[in-house]
Amino acid sequence: NKDLLERHLSANDREKFVLCKTYLCAYWIQPIHDADNKIVGSSIKYAFSGDTGGSVPQWVENTVGPRTALDSIRGLINYATNK
């Protein structure tokens, strides 16, 4: 991995950005049915597990994390809507 970083990130990039390891990023999407068994919506569950290695303060992770998850779900809905 270090070789990949050397090849793809400039020294300036390595100073400005933090590399985060992602262990899990998943969506679980299920249809929601009405009494007539017609699909009326979707239930979307999102799971993420990652580690910044202590390089980002906890208050930043707690502030940005939920917003990032919401942006990810909005992007998924936008993608599915425009398909």
Side-chain angles (χ1 to χ4, degrees):
N1 288 340
K2 187 175 179 180
D3 184 49
L4 288 172
L5 293 176
E6 298 284 330
R7 278 190 285 163
H8 297 288
L9 296 176
S10 69
N12 188 37
D13 288 339
R14 287 191 295 274
E15 287 182 23
K16 289 173 47 177
F17 299 103
V18 174
L19 181 65
C20 176
K21 295 177 184 175
T22 300
Y23 299 109
L24 170 72
C25 183
Y27 297 95
W28 184 16
I29 305 169
Q30 296 177 296
I32 296 174
H33 298 89
D34 66 7
D36 297 323
N37 206 29
K38 293 182 184 175
I39 296 174
V40 295
S42 298
S43 169
I44 302 173
K45 295 178 182 174
Y46 174 75
F48 175 82
S49 176
D51 182 15
T52 60
S55 300
V56 176
Q58 190 68 44
W59 71 269
V60 173
E61 288 184 21
N62 291 340
T63 302
V64 175
R67 194 172 338 141
T68 303
L70 185 56
D71 288 345
S72 180
I73 291 171
R74 284 181 179 147
L76 172 68
I77 292 168
N78 187 42
Y79 174 80
T81 303
N82 293 320
K83 213 41 181 136

